[in-house]
Amino acid sequence: METADLDRLNAIVSVTHLAPQQALFLEGDRADNIFNVTAGTMRLSKMMPDGRRQVTGFLIPGDFLGVAFNAIYAYTAEAITLANLCRFPRLKLEGLLDDFPALERRLLGIASNELVAAQDQMLLLGRKSAQEKIASFIVMLSRRAVRHGRPANPIDLPMTRVDIADYLGLTMETVSRTFTQLRKDGIIALPRGQVELVNMDRLEELAAS
Amino acid sequence: METADLDRLNAIVSVTHLAPQQALFLEGDRADNIFNVTAGTMRLSKMMPDGRRQVTGFLIPGDFLGVAFNAIYAYTAEAITLANLCRFPRLKLEGLLDDFPALERRLLGIASNELVAAQDQMLLLGRKSAQEKIASFIVMLSRRAVRHGRPANPIDLPMTRVDIADYLGLTMETVSRTFTQLRKDGIIALPRGQVELVNMDRLEELAAS
DNA sequence: CGAGCGATTGAACGCTCTCAAAGTGAGTGG
DNA sequence: CCACTCACTTTGAGAGCGTTCAATCGCTCG
């Protein structure tokens, strides 16, 4: 991206800080902004009327939220840890898009990658066993850490067992039992707030795709 | 869209015909084209090494495939019925995008809508019961038919029970049993190759979101 | 009429859930 | 420094929903 573009982006951006568990926006809110995570971990989720919840993603620094060009947000976004975000007002951003097509191409690329991830998640939710889900989850976190320029191992787990369960379509108890089993099998270790990938090969076998 | 744009689109488009069960492209193929369904029903799916399959979507006339701007297709696309498609070579299309930003905006809108649908599907796969899944599926088909300018009722079901099972994260047997139960409860009727929504209100209650 | 494929139905099993209790660690106040 | 609280996690036991395995049905086509 060129300097001129960056300057105009900087002109419209503002910064947001969130405390743990604080909501950035709710499912159904008017989608007036696009955000970029600069620090912390965010949780995206959808809720059913009776309280059942599906977590659709966890975001780490570098990830975008609200890229979808719809009138309202399709999910709730909340901070898991302390978090910082850059806010881009949609109205002003759309003005920029007309002048800098590269920006729009970039957004399409982001949406495109999210779609691929969403399809992988459908396969996980629809067809994988609890053990395969947990193994896939750990491998995915490790690969993403590498993509974001962090070490592949160990991995931070700032989210609770309930969050993981709601992401993988399981219960908290099943998540806990499966972590314990993998630990007893010597495949992972579980220092507080982290996972250590002791046997990466075996973990990828268990992820089964 | 203006006439000039349409003319240039027409210049690069070609038409493809598919027989039932014929593949348009496979997961992992180089993503050289974007398609638009003009007739028939398509099935998008991902496969695990051991043969487990997740159907990620069913497409009807008016829907696009391959919009994602990645090097390779993330899923397999096959015809369920006889199908016709318009093919847009990506290389030539990208040339057009530079001249007609509206086209790119349109693609972003399509990807955006697909993302919303994908998140709904995650909620369904991760958190809904078999009955809720089937009810949601029927309601979704009916709403989509209306959006595409067709009657809301009855709905064609060109896909097999196995296809539906692989879409909803169930087995063929559970799909069959659940359809039968809804029929016995007087909520739907099942003429050959169709569903008739006898009690739409009750169906939407069962869909539970 | 017979073959074959998809759909339905039945019976038993098992993975995950539900309900319940106990364990662990961080933070707080005496 | 220690007891207490509270939230999160782990572990156990039993139940249930959906799966698995198997048989039958029904329609289409040769």
Side-chain angles (χ1 to χ4, degrees):
Chain A
M1 194 172 288
E2 294 171 20
T3 327
D5 302 34
L6 279 178
D7 286 348
R8 289 196 47 190
L9 265 184
N10 282 333
I12 65 166
V13 74
S14 57
V15 177
T16 301
H17 304 274
L18 295 175
Q21 307 308 324
Q22 191 179 349
L24 178 63
F25 55 77
L26 302 180
E27 186 178 353
D29 281 358
R30 266 185 45 203
D32 294 330
N33 298 287
I34 289 179
F35 299 90
N36 183 19
V37 183
T38 54
T41 302
M42 300 288 299
R43 179 211 310 133
L44 310 185
S45 62
K46 293 174 71 76
M47 199 94 124
M48 290 174 65
D50 64 2
R52 279 177 284 175
R53 188 180 68 153
Q54 180 67 37
V55 171
T56 57
F58 296 111
L59 303 188
I60 61 177
D63 290 333
F64 285 84
L65 332 62
V67 168
F69 268 56
N70 297 300
I72 61 171
Y73 294 117
Y75 47 78
T76 294
E78 294 153 311
I80 288 179
T81 62
L82 277 172
N84 300 332
L85 301 100
C86 291
R87 172 200 305 267
F88 303 91
R90 279 256 305 261
L91 269 176
K92 296 180 183 172
L93 196 61
E94 284 175 20
L96 282 193
L97 290 187
D98 296 333
D99 298 345
F100 301 106
L103 198 56
E104 189 147 35
R105 194 75 49 99
R106 179 84 193 286
L107 288 181
L108 188 53
I110 292 169
S112 170
N113 289 334
E114 280 186 43
L115 261 177
V116 171
Q119 286 152 0
D120 286 343
Q121 191 68 359
M122 286 187 218
L123 177 63
L124 178 145
L125 289 168
R127 287 298 176 226
K128 291 189 181 180
S129 69
Q131 192 177 54
E132 290 167 343
K133 285 176 176 179
I134 296 285
S136 301
F137 177 62
I138 297 170
V139 169
M140 181 273 286
L141 287 182
S142 177
R143 292 201 179 128
R144 184 171 69 166
V146 170
R147 259 202 322 279
H148 282 73
R150 296 151 161 274
N153 197 6
I155 299 295
D156 285 335
L157 279 192
M159 64 291 283
T160 67
R161 295 288 183 264
V162 174
D163 287 337
I164 298 173
D166 286 348
Y167 181 59
L168 300 177
L170 299 169
T171 59
M172 176 190 59
E173 293 91 334
T174 298
V175 170
S176 179
R177 276 186 251 271
T178 308
F179 270 126
T180 301
Q181 190 56 51
L182 291 176
R183 180 174 55 69
K184 285 181 177 167
D185 293 347
I187 296 168
I188 61 172
L190 290 170
R192 187 147 199 84
Q194 293 189 322
V195 209
E196 192 181 327
L197 293 73
V198 176
N199 189 340
M200 185 62 169
D201 291 348
R202 189 87 189 83
L203 209 55
E204 285 180 337
E205 271 176 45
L206 290 180
S209 71
Chain B
M1 194 172 289
E2 295 172 20
T3 327
D5 302 35
L6 280 177
D7 286 349
R8 290 194 48 186
L9 265 185
N10 282 332
I12 65 166
V13 74
S14 58
V15 178
T16 301
H17 303 275
L18 294 174
Q21 306 309 321
Q22 192 180 348
L24 178 63
F25 56 75
L26 302 179
E27 187 179 352
D29 281 358
R30 266 184 46 202
D32 294 330
N33 298 287
I34 289 178
F35 299 90
N36 183 15
V37 183
T38 54
T41 302
M42 301 288 299
R43 179 211 309 134
L44 310 185
S45 62
K46 294 173 72 75
M47 197 94 124
M48 292 174 65
D50 64 3
R52 278 177 285 175
R53 189 180 69 153
Q54 180 66 37
V55 171
T56 57
F58 296 110
L59 304 188
I60 61 177
D63 290 332
F64 284 85
L65 336 59
V67 167
F69 267 55
N70 296 299
I72 60 171
Y73 294 118
Y75 47 79
T76 294
E78 293 153 310
I80 287 179
T81 63
L82 276 172
N84 301 333
L85 302 101
C86 291
R87 172 201 305 266
F88 303 90
R90 280 255 304 261
L91 269 177
K92 295 179 183 172
L93 195 62
E94 284 176 20
L96 283 192
L97 290 187
D98 296 333
D99 298 346
F100 301 105
L103 197 55
E104 188 148 36
R105 194 75 48 102
R106 179 83 193 285
L107 288 180
L108 189 52
I110 292 170
S112 169
N113 288 335
E114 281 186 43
L115 261 176
V116 172
Q119 285 153 1
D120 286 343
Q121 190 67 0
M122 286 187 220
L123 177 62
L124 178 146
L125 290 169
R127 288 295 174 230
K128 291 189 181 180
S129 70
Q131 193 177 53
E132 289 167 343
K133 285 177 177 179
I134 296 285
S136 301
F137 177 61
I138 297 170
V139 170
M140 182 273 286
L141 288 182
S142 177
R143 293 203 178 128
R144 184 170 69 166
V146 171
R147 256 201 325 277
H148 282 73
R150 296 150 161 274
N153 197 7
I155 299 297
D156 285 334
L157 278 191
M159 64 291 283
T160 66
R161 296 289 184 264
V162 174
D163 287 337
I164 298 173
D166 286 349
Y167 181 60
L168 300 177
L170 299 170
T171 60
M172 175 192 60
E173 292 91 335
T174 300
V175 170
S176 179
R177 276 186 252 270
T178 308
F179 270 126
T180 301
Q181 190 56 51
L182 291 176
R183 180 175 53 70
K184 285 181 178 168
D185 293 347
I187 297 169
I188 60 172
L190 290 169
R192 188 148 197 82
Q194 294 189 322
V195 210
E196 192 183 326
L197 294 73
V198 176
N199 190 339
M200 185 62 169
D201 290 348
R202 189 89 188 82
L203 210 56
E204 285 180 338
E205 271 176 45
L206 290 180
S209 71

